[in-house]
């Protein structure tokens, strides 16, 4: 009896060690697979729809190593993932991407997205015109397209910039919640969140489409794209992007409403109100006029080369601190 128990304990011990070994091998295999994949940071917004469609309809299956879409709720988190090498590409905007380049990271502009923003005011704030934004709070993301757009609309109606309070709210779902809870006077929203806000009777006072502003982009780290394997992956991704755009343009955005509900985390009952006239362009770089607009604004808010160097130094200091924290752990 005693001998049997001892043999059972030895067998269990071997089984436990074997399980640990297999688990380690599985983790290593998963890490190798993830390393080979082309990773792209995305948000729950419609400018990412071509990637969602390409993934859902297996248009990306020809890529060796595959594609991993990494989901974030804030543009700042997408850009942080890109800067720190957690992903090779990201859906971003020209202001943030040009700022990243000022900080020393070279980017490849693969596509200009159809990303657009609407400025919506709280229905209880009694703001129906841009000139009524005086002494009001506007939710945006610092050093982004929405930061630029806030300055642009304030200047257009000759308001004092110091009298319009820009509040950094990065998470798109939190912005909608703050609007519902009367915690914000106005905020910038992309689709499908803008549709959700409109359905709640909040007022649109500005739409970037009316000025033909195209500030959304799909960018990749230039360093990684120099490798032949990554370059080949990017070619196949571009093909899949174009196919997805053709499909969306043919069938309309609402055709993909179940996919949008899943990826953008919005309620299905508002998807029939999505604008169905949105067009998605084949992959090509951003227009010069949009690039110049972003660069000109950045030159004003970060006016000198010294500012750019300081910005880069702060970024590198933050990375160093994070590296120390990892070593301590």
């Amino acid at each position: 009896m005693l001998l049997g128990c001892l043999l059972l304990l030895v067998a269990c011990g071997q089984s436990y060690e074997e399980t640990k070994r297999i688990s380690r091998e599985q983790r290593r295999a998963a890490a190798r697979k993830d390393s080979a994949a082309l990773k792209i940071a995305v948000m729950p917004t419609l400018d990412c729809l071509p990637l969602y469609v390409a993934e859902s309809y297996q248009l990306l299956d020809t890529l060796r190593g595959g594609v991993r879409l990494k989901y974030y709720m804030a543009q700042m988190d997408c850009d942080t993932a890109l800067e720190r090498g957690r992903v090779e590409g990201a859906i971003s905007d020209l202001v943030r991407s040009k700022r990243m380049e000022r900080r020393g990271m070279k980017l490849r502009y693969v596509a200009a997205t159809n990303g657009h923003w609407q400025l919506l005011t709280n229905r209880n704030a009694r703001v129906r015109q841009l000139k009524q934004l005086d002494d009001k709070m506007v939710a945006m993301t610092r050093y982004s397209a929405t930061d630029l757009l806030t300055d642009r609309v304030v200047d257009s109606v000759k308001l004092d910039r110091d009298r319009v309070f820009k509040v950094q709210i990065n998470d798109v779902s939190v912005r909608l919640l703050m609007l519902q809870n009367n915690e914000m006077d106005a905020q910038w929203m992309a689709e499908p969140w803008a549709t959700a806000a409109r359905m709640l009777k909040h007022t649109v006072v500005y739409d970037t489409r009316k000025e033909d502003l195209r500030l959304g982009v799909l960018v990749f780290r230039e360093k990684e794209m120099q490798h032949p394997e990554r370059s080949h992956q990017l070619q196949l991704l571009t093909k899949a992007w174009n196919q997805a755009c053709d499909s969306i343009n043919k069938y309309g955005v609402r055709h993909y409403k179940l996919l949008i509900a899943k990826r953008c985390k919005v309620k299905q009952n508002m998807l029939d109100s999505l604008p169905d006239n949105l067009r998605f362009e084949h992959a090509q770089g951003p227009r010069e006029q949009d690039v110049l607009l972003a660069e000109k604004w950045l030159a004003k808010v970060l006016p000198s080369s010294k500012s750019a160097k300081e910005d880069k130094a702060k970024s590198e200091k933050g990375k160093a601190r994070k590296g120390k924290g990892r070593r301590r752990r």
Side-chain angles (χ1 to χ4, degrees):
M1 181 70 176
L2 181 60
L3 180 61
C5 291
L6 288 172
L7 289 173
L8 181 62
L9 285 171
V10 170
C12 289
Q14 289 174 339
S15 175
Y16 175 69
E17 290 300 322
E18 181 69 11
T19 300
K20 283 203 303 182
R21 184 184 66 78
I22 293 172
S23 179
R24 283 196 299 270
E25 289 176 355
Q26 288 175 337
R27 288 197 299 271
R28 287 170 184 162
R32 287 194 296 270
K33 188 175 181 181
D34 193 62
S35 177
L38 190 65
K39 298 174 287 297
I40 307 172
V42 294
M43 288 182 61
T45 51
L46 283 195
D47 52 347
C48 300
L49 186 57
L51 292 175
Y52 295 146
V53 170
E55 178 191 51
S56 180
Y57 289 85
Q58 289 81 52
L59 300 179
L60 300 172
D61 288 356
T62 57
L63 271 74
R64 281 180 290 180
V67 170
R68 302 281 186 277
L69 299 184
K70 303 289 186 177
Y71 298 93
Y72 298 93
M73 292 300 291
Q75 184 61 66
M76 187 172 289
D77 294 334
C78 289
D79 296 339
T80 298
L82 188 65
E83 286 189 299
R84 295 183 179 174
R86 298 173 190 157
V87 296
E88 286 74 47
I91 293 287
S92 187
D93 67 58
L94 279 170
V95 176
R96 293 200 65 80
S97 61
K98 287 298 175 182
R99 180 170 178 255
M100 282 188 279
E101 288 186 318
R102 289 171 64 97
R103 291 152 69 103
M105 185 171 66
K106 292 184 179 180
L107 296 173
R108 183 178 298 188
Y109 292 80
V110 173
T113 72
N114 78 333
H116 68 275
W117 292 264
Q118 290 183 335
L119 180 60
L120 290 110
T121 59
N122 192 309
R123 63 183 183 181
N124 297 318
R126 298 180 181 179
V127 176
R128 299 293 181 267
Q129 299 177 41
L130 293 176
K131 63 183 180 182
Q132 295 174 318
L133 288 172
D134 182 66
D135 199 29
K136 297 293 188 293
M137 295 184 296
V138 178
M140 39 62 74
T141 296
R142 195 179 181 202
Y143 299 130
S144 76
T146 55
D147 198 354
L148 177 155
L149 290 167
T150 304
D151 285 350
R152 188 177 178 89
V153 298
V154 167
D155 292 345
S156 71
V157 289
K158 297 180 172 54
L159 291 177
D160 184 343
R161 287 190 184 183
D162 292 334
R163 293 274 303 167
V164 179
F165 306 104
K166 294 190 285 188
V167 182
Q168 180 155 309
I169 307 295
N170 298 317
D171 189 305
V172 293
S173 62
V174 171
R175 287 189 192 178
L176 181 61
L177 189 61
M178 294 183 74
L179 205 60
Q180 288 177 267
N181 293 337
N182 299 317
E183 296 174 286
M184 195 60 56
D185 299 310
Q187 55 192 350
W188 292 99
M189 306 194 83
E191 294 291 358
W193 301 92
T195 292
R198 291 194 305 271
M199 289 186 67
L200 293 169
K201 308 301 182 184
H202 300 297
T203 306
V204 178
V205 294
Y206 183 86
D207 190 328
T208 58
R209 287 175 296 179
K210 292 184 178 180
E211 288 197 43
D212 190 30
L213 299 176
R214 303 179 192 178
L215 299 174
V217 286
L218 170 62
V219 295
F220 286 82
R221 293 168 60 95
E222 181 62 38
K223 183 179 179 181
E224 276 74 11
M225 295 306 107
Q226 295 293 331
H227 298 295
E229 186 62 31
R230 290 297 192 200
S231 179
H232 181 63
Q233 285 180 319
L234 191 56
Q235 290 176 5
L236 295 174
L237 175 73
T238 301
K239 181 180 178 181
W241 173 282
N242 293 342
Q243 290 174 332
C245 289
D246 290 340
S247 181
I248 298 168
N249 292 337
K250 179 179 179 179
Y251 297 108
V253 170
R254 293 175 196 166
H255 177 78
Y256 296 100
K257 61 183 181 180
L258 295 181
L259 178 61
I260 293 169
K262 178 181 178 182
R263 293 305 183 201
C264 295
K265 306 180 188 302
V266 292
K267 295 179 181 178
Q268 290 188 27
N269 61 2
M270 52 76 66
L271 295 175
D272 287 329
S273 297
L274 283 172
D276 210 33
N277 59 347
L278 297 179
R279 302 288 297 175
F280 290 77
E281 303 292 336
H282 280 196
Q284 58 182 341
R287 302 178 306 179
E288 184 179 2
Q289 66 201 68
D290 299 311
V291 173
L292 290 175
L293 176 65
E295 290 179 336
K296 184 178 179 181
W297 182 83
L298 277 172
K300 287 183 179 179
V301 296
L302 297 170
S304 67
S305 58
K306 181 181 178 182
S307 298
K309 290 177 182 177
E310 290 174 350
D311 206 16
K312 180 181 176 182
K314 287 179 183 177
S315 175
E316 291 175 347
K317 189 175 180 181
K319 291 177 186 176
R321 277 200 301 267
K322 186 169 183 183
K324 282 184 179 179
R326 283 176 179 163
R327 287 194 292 274
R328 287 195 191 101
R329 288 194 291 271

